Amino acid sequence: MDVAAFLKSITQPLGQLEAYRQADLQARVERYLNDLQSGLQAVYPQAEAVAERVAQVIGQNLAQRPAELLALDLKRVHAPDWFQQPHMHGYIAYADRFAGNLKGVAEHIPYLKELGIRYLHLMPLLLPREGENDGGYAVADYRRVRPDLGSMDDLEALCTQLRQEGISLCLDLVLNHVAREHPWAEAARKGDLHYRGYFYIFPDRTLPDAFERSLPEVFPDFAPGNFTWDDELKGWVWTTFHSWQWDVNWSNPEVFLEYLDLILWLANKGVEVFRLDAIAFTWKRMGTPCQNQPEVHALTQALRAAVRIAAPAVAFKAEAIVAPEDLIAYLGTGAHYGKVSELAYHNTLMVQIWSSLASRDTRLFTQALRRFPQKPPSTAWATYLRCHDDIGWAISDTDAAAVGLSGPAHRRFLSEFYKGDFPGSFARGMHFQENPATGDRRTSGSTASLAGLETALASGNPRLIHLALERILLAHAVFIGYGEGIPLIYMGDELGLLNDYDYVQDPAHKDDNRWLHRPKMDWAKAEKRHQEGTIEHRLFHGIKRLLEARARTPQLHAAFPTEALWQPNPHLLVLKRAHPMGTLVQVYNFSEQDQPLPWETLRTEGIVQPYDRIEETIAPAYLRPYARLWLVQPPLEGKL
Ligand code: GLC
């Protein structure tokens, strides 16, 4: 299809357009049609016909896009770096656990604003299957909100309120699978051939067995194997996660068109960022682990190009918890450079923060960051310390060996340390999905409990409590200050919420210990943030201070790269951000002892009178335990 034909199709449902709007749409099509078509051509033999249908889906949704969101589209076109700016701070929460329901979330907007939040990721809230549903990641209807949380109108109203307060809403788009109870799956179970084509269904074990030879297991404990026999289907259906989460077949263009329509429909309600859940798994290829296949990126490129034409205010965030060399492709490499997701999770940064807190040694951290691929400047990482999932100890054997460690031994150490089993460990957590076949053991637990607050409180020792709080603040400073993306605060961490051992009381949760770190918000504790001397006050204001410092530090714009510097002290992590407005050097002390400032390194970077942007004062001569400094050289006249 050429630009004129595509434009004609998308504008058809819009009627007569004024010249400006027509020119605007034409500019978008000219810019993105090629990305769309090359993405489609890489996966669908009938790409031309699919493109025509894409144009229709865009046109229908454009016709429904509210004026306020068209205005947002325009704003974003003029501020394409909106998600990269140093004031973009994110918060992750379950709507019900945070505030009961969507109306409750709206009532707590002032709390989010007080902390400095500009981006809110509300965990799955679309209608899931009943009973077990993987925390909402088994969606039965993408066009309905979970009734206990509210209605689609409530969601739309919440988006509007958030937008008016300068907060962007991020929602999960679960695009690798649907619930067994989703209408597509129901139709397939009834024998509808059209919908059977939405899934991978095999009559016997021949192909499943062949695929299994190279497939890993995501939940070896409670959902072993990747295929499930279904009596109604009379076949084996692909189920990477649980037996009731059916993988959809993206090699069928109908699936592409369904999800495109869904994204645009939700975008018209006001959703601004889509978290592309489990995106790594969306293309299958015999003889491979069926993750990170090249087609995944071609499809994302096509999807994004269509969304850029229809709703340029929208951004994608890839949830791909994969090795760095695979991860970088989700922000764009090769032909897809800068053409796929705007955001992706920086899993390595998260793992390395925990690793250095346990070992009090930063050499592996520095090594891993230095070997980490550079992202396209127009993209950003989502940086974080905790989220609703377990921590997988993704330490690369190559990096470990480079600093004289054994990868498997260090991974074993970390899982033991964070369970609290390792002698001297400050942590309290649980093993998640222990896999005897691979030796893999992941970890569940809340930030505060993993960082030692639970054991410190049990000991009643004020020094241990102090150290635990400093550790939590150090960890936050690292991912908030990292600078290549949006830092995401996980609900409750700003107050030090501990592990929630009550999860076992709920039959739908008891077998999944990730609920250990999915507590309910404790608003009585939140009130204590106003009382000086409380844990809540120290953490809330400590984190708020970091966010405020970040917002006023231009060096933390995500377009600029971060470099980890080697220096002789193994307890210090030193990160450099070169910037036209002056270099920023961050120094983090990962030990419980005082450490000298790394003068030599600072001098090499032109910082001789280090000034700390967090405290807005001249840096102290030495670093206290777990100290964090964001240092610049003030200009001679002393003005920053
Ligand atoms: C993502 C989610 C995780 C879920 C999985 C399957 O990894 O973060 O919670 O279990 O996808 O949807």
Side-chain angles (χ1 to χ4, degrees):
M1 272 184 110
D2 62 12
V3 169
F6 196 89
L7 188 63
K8 193 158 169 245
S9 286
I10 68 169
T11 50
Q12 204 166 24
L14 300 176
Q16 186 59 37
L17 288 178
E18 55 173 302
Y20 179 81
R21 181 99 201 274
Q22 180 77 22
D24 172 36
L25 286 175
Q26 175 160 348
R28 295 190 211 170
V29 175
E30 280 173 6
R31 168 67 183 79
Y32 291 107
L33 184 58
N34 200 21
D35 289 0
L36 172 71
Q37 286 184 316
S38 58
L40 293 176
Q41 279 153 11
V43 280
Y44 300 129
Q46 60 282 56
E48 184 75 12
V50 182
E52 170 62 45
R53 302 251 323 264
V54 166
Q56 289 162 9
V57 172
I58 292 177
Q60 285 147 12
N61 283 283
L62 261 176
Q64 303 295 324
R65 190 141 173 91
E68 224 190 289
L69 293 171
L70 293 174
L72 186 69
D73 289 336
L74 184 61
K75 264 199 194 170
R76 293 283 160 77
V77 168
H78 289 290
D81 66 341
W82 63 277
F83 58 92
Q84 298 186 301
Q85 291 171 11
H87 65 229
M88 276 308 282
H89 305 141
Y91 193 81
I92 315 171
Y94 287 90
D96 53 343
R97 308 215 137 220
F98 178 59
N101 56 27
L102 295 181
K103 290 206 169 92
V105 173
E107 282 161 24
H108 288 292
I109 292 176
Y111 177 81
L112 299 173
K113 288 193 74 179
E114 185 186 335
L115 191 56
I117 299 303
R118 303 290 299 261
Y119 165 113
L120 176 64
H121 171 199
L122 286 181
M123 298 295 295
L125 49 76
L126 303 176
L127 188 77
R129 74 192 290 270
E130 277 179 26
E132 276 187 277
N133 55 39
D134 191 20
Y137 286 100
V139 181
D141 190 341
Y142 293 96
R143 293 180 198 253
R144 274 170 65 194
V145 168
R146 233 172 76 186
D148 60 312
L149 297 179
S151 62
M152 210 23 100
D153 287 345
D154 293 335
L155 180 62
E156 195 168 358
L158 175 62
C159 286
T160 308
Q161 268 175 285
L162 287 168
R163 192 165 58 248
Q164 283 163 357
E165 299 290 347
I167 301 176
S168 300
L169 185 74
C170 166
L171 272 202
D172 284 271
L173 184 76
V174 185
L175 44 58
N176 177 66
H177 42 262
V178 297
R180 183 177 181 272
E181 292 71 17
H182 187 281
W184 303 340
E186 276 186 350
R189 282 195 273 134
K190 293 207 178 95
D192 184 323
L193 286 182
H194 176 77
Y195 287 105
R196 278 180 77 97
Y198 280 34
F199 302 96
Y200 297 95
I201 300 168
F202 306 94
D204 56 40
R205 285 293 308 183
T206 318
L207 283 172
D209 284 343
F211 274 113
E212 283 288 11
R213 271 177 228 128
S214 57
L215 283 176
E217 286 188 297
V218 180
F219 295 142
D221 249 16
F222 43 57
N226 287 281
F227 302 87
T228 302
W229 173 261
D230 194 280
D231 277 340
E232 287 175 59
L233 275 183
K234 297 192 188 47
W236 292 90
V237 59
W238 200 307
T239 54
T240 300
F241 294 86
H242 292 90
S243 56
W244 28 261
Q245 284 166 307
W246 289 15
D247 289 38
V248 291
N249 182 353
W250 279 83
S251 71
N252 179 349
E254 296 301 325
V255 167
F256 180 93
L257 292 161
E258 293 271 15
Y259 277 101
L260 174 63
D261 190 37
L262 192 64
I263 292 173
L264 298 182
W265 187 81
L266 287 166
N268 281 354
K269 305 287 172 208
V271 177
E272 295 183 30
V273 181
F274 288 90
R275 174 186 181 275
L276 307 179
D277 180 69
I279 185 175
F281 298 86
T282 49
W283 195 269
K284 326 289 187 194
R285 174 170 281 113
M286 183 64 80
T288 74
C290 298
Q291 283 188 52
N292 312 315
Q293 296 300 305
E295 287 82 355
V296 172
H297 308 301
L299 282 167
T300 318
Q301 176 180 312
L303 213 47
R304 175 176 181 265
V307 173
R308 299 295 297 173
I309 295 170
V314 165
F316 285 170
K317 177 173 61 167
E319 190 250 346
I321 309 302
V322 300
E325 46 281 19
D326 294 320
L327 176 60
I328 194 66
Y330 291 85
L331 291 184
T333 48
H336 305 302
Y337 189 83
K339 294 182 181 172
V340 283
S341 293
E342 283 80 2
L343 296 152
Y345 287 90
H346 202 318
N347 181 52
T348 296
L349 184 74
M350 181 275 288
V351 167
Q352 291 295 339
I353 295 174
W354 289 111
S355 164
S356 288
L357 285 177
S359 65
R360 281 80 161 175
D361 190 311
T362 58
R363 282 173 289 191
L364 179 60
F365 201 157
T366 304
Q367 162 69 22
L369 286 184
R370 288 184 69 88
R371 218 171 56 87
F372 202 83
Q374 200 57 64
K375 67 170 185 60
S378 59
T379 62
W381 296 112
T383 64
Y384 64 113
L385 180 62
R386 282 307 281 119
C387 69
H388 69 292
D389 277 329
D390 50 289
I391 305 176
W393 296 110
I395 300 287
S396 115
D397 290 348
T398 315
D399 288 335
V403 296
L405 295 173
S406 139
H410 191 61
R411 290 193 288 273
R412 202 169 332 115
F413 158 69
L414 290 171
S415 66
E416 277 170 25
F417 188 94
Y418 283 109
K419 180 163 184 289
D421 281 353
F422 195 85
S425 166
F426 48 69
R428 282 286 174 278
M430 287 185 180
H431 287 329
F432 180 73
Q433 303 293 319
E434 189 160 0
N435 188 344
T438 57
D440 188 32
R441 244 171 12 188
R442 286 128 72 181
T443 297
S444 286
S446 77
T447 288
S449 292
L450 295 178
L453 189 57
E454 192 176 322
T455 49
L457 287 170
S459 78
N461 180 332
R463 177 167 161 76
L464 294 184
I465 297 174
H466 170 77
L467 284 176
L469 297 178
E470 289 297 297
R471 211 176 274 128
I472 294 170
L473 290 172
L474 167 77
H476 277 82
V478 177
F479 81 86
I480 290 171
Y482 187 67
E484 287 191 6
I486 305 184
L488 304 177
I489 312 286
Y490 186 56
M491 189 208 86
D493 285 355
E494 73 280 15
L495 303 170
L497 293 195
L498 303 177
N499 286 340
D500 176 10
Y501 295 100
D502 282 345
Y503 77 93
V504 290
Q505 308 300 332
D506 185 334
H509 298 165
K510 69 175 184 4
D511 295 327
D512 186 342
N513 70 24
R514 289 178 297 174
W515 289 95
L516 185 64
H517 51 260
R518 299 171 181 176
K520 288 212 174 87
M521 185 59 158
D522 185 337
W523 288 105
K525 253 170 107 54
E527 274 309 299
K528 294 203 201 144
R529 73 187 185 279
H530 301 304
Q531 257 173 61
E532 247 176 85
T534 59
I535 286 174
E536 295 77 10
H537 183 271
R538 273 185 66 188
L539 288 179
F540 188 91
H541 291 279
I543 291 172
K544 181 173 153 78
R545 201 182 185 92
L546 288 166
L547 296 177
E548 283 167 354
R550 181 176 186 271
R552 61 173 183 257
T553 305
Q555 285 91 341
L556 293 177
H557 190 287
F560 296 88
T562 304
E563 188 189 348
L565 300 180
W566 283 120
Q567 46 73 47
N569 186 338
H571 304 299
L572 301 186
L573 177 73
V574 181
L575 302 179
K576 168 183 167 182
R577 291 185 61 76
H579 190 274
M581 292 178 73
T583 298
L584 173 75
V585 175
Q586 303 173 334
V587 183
Y588 300 108
N589 178 5
F590 272 81
S591 77
E592 282 109 329
Q593 285 79 40
D594 290 346
Q595 303 291 339
L597 274 188
W599 285 110
E600 189 72 27
T601 309
L602 291 175
R603 212 169 299 123
T604 313
E605 299 305 334
I607 300 180
V608 288
Q609 290 167 312
Y611 180 89
D612 177 22
R613 301 254 24 192
I614 303 176
E615 297 300 329
E616 292 294 2
T617 145
I618 301 292
Y622 64 91
L623 294 144
R624 288 167 295 108
Y626 297 123
R628 50 264 163 203
L629 300 174
W630 295 352
L631 303 174
V632 291
Q633 169 66 30
L636 287 181
E637 68 275 23
K639 268 171 85 197
L640 288 168

